[in-house]
Amino acid sequence: MAKIKGIIFDLDGVITDTAEYHYLGWQKLADEEGLEFDRKFNEKFRGVSRMKCLDMLLEENNRKVTAKEREELAERKNNYYQKYLENITKDNLLEGIEKILNTVKNNGYKMAIASASKNTEIVVKKLNIREMFDTISDGYSVKNTKPAPDLFLHTAEKLNLKPEECVVFEDAKAGIDAALAANMTAVGIGPEERVGHAHFRFDSVKDIELEKILSE
Ligand code: BG6
Ligand code: MG
């Protein structure tokens, strides 16, 4: 195994619990539109781009829309999501993540965020963690979104590292698929049925045992 030199963090559900706000945004949209939607279905949206999520929601409900309506629906959901973002501060960092970020930084690893979200810069700024990272990749960085490996490969390139020198922290099935496809060490945060295919898995961020991952 190559020596690990860089750590790539997903944002929503790993650094902060904006995953909940994404859910609330979709639920509001679905209710207004009379579309069936619940928390269970929302699990499929983790790590998946906004447009893909919308298409899944519409398909599940057999709802056909025009291209213009599709744009309007996605924009409406994003407006709801951004309304929730107004209130986030450093207090919205997930329990245990600050310690991990500091440890990784103090041990000289390169650090990046790689998120499917087009709201990444807004969230990172609000959390006041921008200066910790060498680079940030987001929903604008590559065309093929997770589970394709592209976002992580693009991030490794920006860090000037080989894929096998990188560890990825992810809470999404699509994110673990992407990290494995990129030939990186994958660390899953969440239940077995969601991220059990990662190299390491922890129930939540506060349970992460960094020494275990980095001593491999
Ligand atoms: C991911 C979330 O980080 O970003 C997904 O896990 C979300 O649930 C995706 O759909 C896209 O986010 P945004 O902010 O571009 O709508
Ligand atoms: Mg996530």
Side-chain angles (χ1 to χ4, degrees):
M1 218 172 170
K3 192 175 169 349
I4 297 302
K5 295 184 181 162
I7 318 284
I8 302 175
F9 296 87
D10 172 47
L11 178 66
D12 298 323
V14 170
I15 291 180
T16 179
D17 199 14
T18 33
E20 178 67 13
Y21 297 154
H22 278 294
Y23 160 70
L24 292 170
W26 286 120
Q27 188 68 65
K28 192 164 158 59
L29 181 79
D31 292 346
E32 283 172 358
E33 291 296 314
L35 298 168
E36 292 279 340
F37 184 70
D38 56 17
R39 280 185 185 276
K40 185 156 176 275
F41 195 71
N42 180 67
E43 281 300 300
K44 296 192 174 72
F45 287 4
R46 278 181 195 264
V48 176
S49 74
R50 192 184 313 159
M51 279 305 181
K52 264 201 206 165
C53 293
L54 176 61
D55 289 344
M56 285 160 74
L57 176 65
L58 294 172
E59 194 173 322
E60 179 72 9
N61 283 272
N62 286 318
R63 174 77 61 94
K64 302 269 178 289
V65 295
T66 62
K68 200 167 155 237
E69 285 164 345
R70 183 170 170 261
E71 291 297 328
E72 188 278 319
L73 290 168
E75 196 185 319
R76 205 186 323 156
K77 184 270 170 179
N78 194 46
N79 289 339
Y80 296 147
Y81 178 61
Q82 289 189 339
K83 199 88 198 128
Y84 290 113
L85 292 185
E86 282 175 13
N87 301 321
I88 73 167
T89 65
K90 220 171 165 40
D91 292 344
N92 291 81
L93 286 170
L94 278 170
E95 190 184 345
I97 195 67
E98 209 169 358
K99 191 167 162 229
I100 291 187
L101 295 179
N102 286 329
T103 309
V104 166
K105 186 105 211 143
N106 294 337
N107 283 287
Y109 291 94
K110 290 189 179 173
M111 292 167 70
I113 288 177
S115 166
S117 173
K118 293 186 169 171
N119 289 294
T120 298
E121 288 289 351
I122 300 177
V123 175
V124 167
K125 246 186 231 130
K126 288 236 163 210
L127 293 172
N128 205 13
I129 52 170
R130 181 66 185 86
E131 73 289 350
M132 295 209 83
F133 296 92
D134 298 289
T135 188
I136 291 181
S137 309
D138 63 13
Y140 296 103
S141 302
V142 296
K143 194 162 150 280
N144 290 329
T145 52
K146 303 171 189 178
D150 303 35
L151 187 69
F152 291 138
L153 292 174
H154 169 82
T155 307
E157 230 174 270
K158 285 206 285 180
L159 290 176
N160 212 6
L161 295 179
K162 297 192 192 98
E164 57 272 27
E165 293 172 330
C166 300
V167 172
V168 172
F169 285 82
E170 257 293 350
D171 69 311
K173 181 183 180 300
I176 298 296
D177 292 343
L180 294 176
N183 197 24
M184 297 180 178
T185 300
V187 181
I189 316 294
E192 183 71 36
E193 63 270 23
R194 197 167 80 210
V195 293
H197 53 318
H199 295 103
F200 300 90
R201 187 195 70 79
F202 302 97
D203 288 332
S204 65
V205 173
K206 64 179 186 318
D207 303 313
I208 295 173
E209 295 168 74
L210 217 46
E211 324 72 57
K212 221 174 176 175
I213 303 161
L214 298 175
S215 67
E216 284 284 303

